[in-house]
Every structure is written in structure tokens, then in C-alpha cells.
Amino acid sequence: MEKRKDWYKDLVVYQIYPRSFMDSDGDGIGDLRGIISKLDYIASLGVNAIWLTPIYPSPCYDNGYDISDYRSIDPMYGTFDDFIAFRDGCHERGIAVIMDLVVNHTSSHHEWFRESRKSRNGKYSDYYIWHDPVDGKEPNNWAGSFGGSAWEYVPERDQYYLHLFSKEQPDLNWECEDVRNEVISIIRYWGDMGVDGFRVDAISYLEKAPGFPDSPEPPFSTGFSIAMDINSNREGTHRYIRELNEKAFASYHMMTVGEVNCRMLSDYHDYASQSRHEFDMCIPFVPPIVEINTWSPFKMKKTIMETYSELKEDGWWACFLSNHDKPRQVSLYGDDRIYRSRSAKLLAALIQMLPGTPFVYQGEEIGMANVYYGSIDEYNDPSTVDFYGELIATGHSPAEALREAQRVSRDNARSPMQWNADKNAGFSDGTPWLGVNPDYKEWNAEKEEEDADSVLSFYKAVIALRRGSNAIRRGGLEFIAEDDERLFIFERALDDEAYAFVANFSDKPALLSIDLSDYGSVVLSTTEHKSIDSDMVLEPYEAFIVKRK
Ligand code: GLC
């Protein structure tokens, strides 16, 4: 693919969670041949990049975020030839291929770790973070992200190894130069294979807090405390990322997006401003824009403004509301009951109208909603199971614990893609690895494709608008009526071209009461309204885009 200097600024990325996208061989798990069979569908959305979550060999304790071989394809997803066919199918359609790079940790089944755990004196002994017991116990109070201590004892070495996620995901030791060189060579390998970029997983924890001090966070029922913040965004981590950029990403003009833990606004700048030569943009792991419990449209607006001011001079950002780690956006920020279609369209327009590179997560374009499984046994995600266990351990009833788990579970976004009203929503002839949302007869791609007024048709229209407009892709951002709690209005302008996005981000009618007489007719709308006037009442979740006269 041809790559101009800042080509990543003109992308619209479609994220695929391969396990759940399309199964071609009836084993209940999505695969590359399944994705290839849907490339025309993806191209019809108007996107020009696909990010695949990991498809490398993995024992799948964390669905591929535990890699046991960085240079091949898991047979569950297909062969290397299938990958090449996928790459070519994308490139023929002008779609860039973005892979996931998971190098904070490997799988405990990776050969490096299997060797490292054997002894203190071998080629791979320093590839991971080993620590002697302290008073015969774990070196400190750190908890792994998916429960229990972040340290696991290995008798062969009489030492503990560190895992900030599950014990099947040992953290690599980035102080070791051989480790860094391995990662550089993995990136170059995929660059030579025609991969156009990487989404870089959990990358803000590379350098750990010196001396491994206890975490000050409140302990879980296990007595261990989450240790992500004290290990985030350290200078060494930034240095390692710059090294990857210089020795690998830059020479292939790769698009890079780091998944990072942004604790302060300046963190966005540090990871994603051009002058720092780290990433093109970042996906903050827990950004206020998607904070599940405390978000509001007003807070979201403030966060967008703050991030924009921090990055507008020299940086860039990824713009998204959903991914495989979050609940479905229409359930969280919209209304998945009364105003499902309308609020799904509002969210689509919001993301496509903002500056930054927009990311569409599979299924959001057909209005897919959270799935509520009836028992904890039907959930697959380790963090959901751990969260449920913690609630039970702290005195919640099973019914309460299940309700909370249903609300926040990552499996909400991982249920199979709903292609049609046939068996298993057309996802698989076999038994799907995770239950299909029972609403698939009403909400599926085939039905949406036949309806000019569907969420899917709206996505196509708003993506086409963005791709065809310099003002929307590259222009400035100005909020109007910024202190209004419900109205969400902003302008995108460049040279003589300007568009305004106007939305009532609530389930109650709202008086517009803003003079928009500079703007002409409605270009796109989530309702029947085809023109605007200053005293109009916006219906619940009504949103439209108008062009300046
Ligand atoms: C990232 C991934 C998530 C995974 C974690 C550990 O946050 O998005 O799915 O569990 O890293 O690799």
C-alpha cells in the first residue's frame, strides 16, 4: 500500500475480533477464511483499514493475548496461506492490514518462558522478571489483573515471576537487550510480510517501578492490590517505545496505535505527539470518555475538548467508543431498548465527525447490543469470572453479582457477529464458542442491508461523508454551547468547508435554541427532519449533520 507521511490520519479502521466474526469450517470459532468471505461486506462500509486482534498461536487463556509463537498463525484461524490471501484481499480493496502486537507479556507456553523457568543460567533466563521470595512469600502485594497475586512461584528456580495479567501471561523483561531485539525482529518480520501497522497491546507497563514497592491501592479480598498505575508510563517505557519506532515501525511507515494507561492529559501527548517519535496515536485503556460507571455526555464533551487541546498542535488520537474490552456502545451510551436504532446512529455520527482516526468495532454498524447470559458459567472472559468471584467474596448475592458482571463484561462485545436470521445468526454451522445474542432475528446484517433507513445504511453514509471531506478528516474542532448538559454541538472546519454535528444526547426532547442560520440543509439525520431552525425541539437522541452555507 502506498503510504504518505501521515497516511494514518485518513483511515477509518474496522476492528475484527476473529473468534467471533465468521466461522468457515463449522468448529464454532471464527477464522481467516470466514473473514475473507466477508471482505466485500467490510469494503462496502467504506473503511480503509482492518485491525485484527491476535491470530497467532496461543493457548487462549486470554483469547490470543497470550502468544506462544509470534511468527505464525494459529491453526484454529487457518494457515499462513490463508493469512496471505486475507492480506491480498484487503490490499486489492484498498484496505490496510493492522495486526495486534502483544509484547508486554508472552504466553507461559512460549518457548522463551518454558526455557526461562528451567534455570537461572541459560539463554532465556533473563527474558522475564524473576524475583527471590521475600520472607518465604511473594515479593510484594501486587495483584494480577485477572485475580490473585501478580507473582507465581517456580520451584526449579526457587523464584517468583511477575505477571501483571494472568499467570499464563508472564511479563517480559524489557531491560534485557535480547528481548528488545526479539521484538524488533518480530515487527520487521511482519513488515516484510506486508503488514501495514500495529495496534500495540498493554504497552504502558514495560518498565516496572524500581525496587518493586508495594502498591498503595486498596486490597481485593485476596489481600493483593492492583498495580497498574505504579507501573505505568515510566520514562524507561517511553525509551523502549522510541527504540521500537526507530528500529522497526518507522522504516516500514507503519501506522501505530498504542493501548496505554493514560492517567494525565500529558500522557496522551507523551505517547502520541509526532515530535516524541513514539506512536501515531493511542487507545487509552480507561479513558473518561468510556468510563463505564461515571460517564455522562457532558463529561465526554469535556474530555474530548481537553484531549483535543492537548494534541491538536503536534499529536493525533484514536477515536472509539467500543472494542473487545468494553460493553456494546449502544447499551452503554445510547438506549438499547426504545431508541436503539436512533441512538446507535447518533454514536456513529459522533465518532465519524470528531477529529482523530475513527475505529468501528465489529457489529456496532448493525446496532449490536449487550448480551445477558443467564449464568456465570456461560461467560468466557477471565476478568468477568474474576469480577463475579470478587463480588461474591465481598458479600454480594449471586443474583447481584451476575447483574453487575452482565453490565460490564467484556463478553458483551465478544458474542458472535449477527449475519442473518438463520441458525446461530449465520455465524457458524457448529456450536459457537460463545452464545449468540437471542436478538439476532431482529438485528442482523442481512436485514440491515435491505433497509435504506437502517443503522448500517447510516454508517455507510457517514463514513462516505468523512472520507470525502477534508474538513472532517483534517479540520479544526470547535464546540458550541459547550456547557449544555444534553446538547452536543460542534463544528469541523477547514478553509472554506465546514460542517456542524448537532445532537440531543438524551432520552428527553430538547429545545435547540441555538442560531444555526449559517448552516444550510441537513446532510444526514437520525430522524425524519430534513431542515433545521433555531427554535426546533430535538427528539430524543436526534442528531444531524449540517453543512455551512
Ligand atoms: C489488552 C487487551 C485485552 C487483554 C489485555 C492483556 O488490554 O485489549 O483484551 O486482556 O491487554 O493482554
Side-chain angles (χ1 to χ4, degrees):
M1 298 220 11
E2 199 212 329
K3 295 183 188 106
R4 293 178 321 279
K5 186 170 146 274
D6 52 4
W7 67 288
Y8 57 88
K9 293 188 177 176
D10 294 322
L11 296 179
V12 177
V13 183
Y14 188 74
Q15 183 194 346
I16 295 184
Y17 196 68
R19 280 180 93 78
S20 304
F21 194 63
M22 181 66 202
D23 175 19
S24 72
D25 59 7
D27 66 357
I29 297 174
D31 47 45
L32 282 164
R33 286 277 150 204
I35 298 174
I36 293 168
S37 72
K38 296 294 183 187
L39 281 179
D40 284 336
Y41 166 85
I42 297 169
S44 78
L45 300 173
V47 302
N48 53 357
I50 290 178
W51 153 29
L52 285 185
T53 62
I55 52 169
Y56 318 96
S58 162
C60 278
Y61 288 103
D62 190 19
N63 289 347
Y65 283 94
D66 45 327
I67 297 173
S68 51
D69 174 2
Y70 286 90
R71 286 183 164 80
S72 37
I73 304 297
D74 196 302
M76 172 173 85
Y77 292 124
T79 62
F80 213 91
D81 285 347
D82 293 336
F83 172 74
I84 298 298
F86 162 75
R87 174 201 68 189
D88 292 347
C90 288
H91 287 170
E92 279 156 21
R93 291 167 177 83
I95 295 176
V97 174
I98 313 294
M99 301 274 276
D100 221 307
L101 182 69
V102 187
V103 288
N104 172 70
H105 44 267
T106 69
S107 158
S108 52
H109 292 216
H110 195 289
E111 192 205 339
W112 302 337
F113 188 72
R114 285 195 275 119
E115 290 299 318
S116 190
R117 63 177 299 146
K118 283 186 190 158
S119 88
R120 298 184 184 208
N121 307 303
K123 177 166 170 2
Y124 298 103
S125 300
D126 291 336
Y127 269 43
Y128 296 85
I129 299 173
W130 293 97
H131 202 295
D132 291 336
V134 173
D135 300 332
K137 290 205 292 265
E138 292 85 4
N140 63 23
N141 73 347
W142 294 358
S145 256
F146 302 144
S149 167
W151 298 96
E152 185 72 11
Y153 182 70
V154 173
E156 291 90 325
R157 289 183 61 138
D158 185 26
Q159 279 184 316
Y160 287 88
Y161 68 85
L162 178 67
H163 57 89
L164 288 182
F165 293 89
S166 76
K167 69 178 186 337
E168 292 81 11
Q169 294 164 297
D171 281 48
L172 282 165
N173 175 14
W174 277 74
E175 281 180 26
C176 171
E177 196 183 345
D178 288 347
V179 165
R180 300 200 301 278
N181 287 337
E182 299 271 12
V183 174
I184 289 163
S185 116
I186 290 165
I187 298 169
R188 300 189 69 93
Y189 171 83
W190 288 106
D192 292 340
M193 219 52 83
V195 163
D196 304 294
F198 279 105
R199 177 268 190 187
V200 189
D201 183 70
I203 200 68
S204 43
Y205 316 112
L206 301 184
E207 184 189 65
K208 310 304 189 244
F212 302 100
D214 275 347
S215 163
E217 305 291 329
F220 295 112
S221 62
T222 52
F224 298 103
S225 297
I226 194 84
M228 299 325 241
D229 281 357
I230 57 167
N231 288 305
S232 287
N233 312 333
R234 309 191 60 81
E235 192 35 51
T237 296
H238 287 290
R239 203 173 52 243
Y240 300 143
I241 294 170
R242 284 195 291 272
E243 186 178 344
L244 296 186
N245 192 356
E246 188 196 324
K247 298 186 179 160
F249 297 136
S251 25
Y252 293 87
H253 300 287
M254 283 184 172
M255 175 272 210
T256 57
V257 46
E259 187 214 25
V260 296
N261 182 8
C262 281
R263 303 174 60 213
M264 293 179 292
L265 271 178
S266 56
D267 293 328
Y268 286 87
H269 174 272
D270 290 351
Y271 284 113
S273 58
Q274 288 185 12
S275 53
R276 301 228 345 147
H277 303 287
E278 298 193 12
F279 295 121
D280 293 329
M281 60 190 108
C282 57
I283 291 180
F285 188 69
V286 193
I289 189 174
V290 288
E291 168 54 51
I292 293 173
N293 293 313
T294 60
W295 88 278
S296 72
F298 184 63
K299 194 169 162 195
M300 192 188 257
K301 201 192 300 191
K302 293 277 173 229
T303 309
I304 292 169
M305 288 192 296
E306 284 167 9
T307 320
Y308 177 70
S309 343
E310 184 72 26
L311 289 168
K312 69 177 176 193
E313 296 306 333
D314 183 38
W316 198 249
W317 53 98
C319 204
F320 67 101
L321 290 171
S322 307
N323 60 38
H324 63 291
D325 292 329
K326 310 281 174 213
R328 284 286 178 184
Q329 66 188 42
V330 71
S331 303
L332 180 55
Y333 309 113
D335 175 341
D336 64 10
R337 273 164 283 194
I338 309 174
Y339 300 111
R340 178 151 164 191
S341 166
R342 203 190 282 170
S343 60
K345 291 176 188 171
L346 180 153
L347 298 170
L350 170 65
I351 287 298
Q352 296 299 328
M353 288 300 290
L354 282 170
T357 296
F359 284 65
V360 176
Y361 178 64
Q362 70 180 43
E364 94 186 30
E365 78 278 13
I366 55 166
M368 278 178 68
N370 281 355
V371 56
Y372 301 104
Y373 300 120
S375 108
I376 194 66
D377 302 335
E378 290 176 68
Y379 284 85
N380 166 278
D381 168 28
S383 71
T384 307
V385 176
D386 175 54
F387 178 60
Y388 176 88
E390 178 69 17
L391 290 175
I392 297 287
T394 50
H396 294 78
S397 71
E400 273 168 1
L402 183 63
R403 206 165 40 242
E404 275 305 294
Q406 286 170 331
R407 202 168 64 85
V408 300
S409 175
R410 305 196 296 180
D411 285 339
N412 281 314
R414 299 178 180 185
S415 71
M417 180 73 185
Q418 294 163 208
W419 292 108
N420 54 42
D422 299 344
K423 184 183 157 205
N424 299 328
F427 162 71
S428 172
D429 291 339
T431 306
W433 72 279
L434 189 66
V436 174
N437 193 322
D439 69 5
Y440 72 91
K441 294 224 155 91
E442 208 190 330
W443 292 89
N444 61 66
E446 195 174 283
K447 196 162 172 231
E448 294 272 305
E449 274 184 319
E450 287 159 3
D451 176 3
D453 203 29
S454 66
V455 177
L456 181 61
S457 301
F458 189 88
Y459 262 83
K460 291 179 185 175
V462 75
I463 292 172
L465 180 68
R466 179 184 185 93
R467 299 262 329 257
S469 161
N470 286 333
I472 300 175
R473 291 195 319 279
R474 303 288 188 116
L477 169 75
E478 193 93 42
F479 272 91
I480 302 168
E482 17 183 290
D483 292 326
D484 195 291
E485 295 277 340
R486 276 187 281 168
L487 291 180
F488 212 104
I489 309 178
F490 59 80
E491 187 189 72
R492 302 295 318 285
L494 187 70
D495 304 328
D496 294 339
E497 192 192 18
Y499 288 90
F501 168 82
V502 180
N504 170 13
F505 212 138
S506 80
D507 59 0
K508 310 269 178 321
L511 181 66
L512 183 54
S513 69
I514 305 263
D515 181 14
L516 292 172
S517 53
D518 284 351
Y519 293 88
S521 57
V522 171
V523 181
L524 270 177
S525 160
T526 63
T527 67
E528 309 284 279
H529 281 134
K530 295 286 175 265
S531 64
I532 49 165
D533 71 71
S534 309
D535 283 329
M536 73 192 279
V537 173
L538 294 181
E539 294 175 31
Y541 295 108
E542 174 161 17
F544 47 77
I545 297 163
V546 278
K547 188 167 187 189
R548 197 157 68 196
K549 284 178 192 158

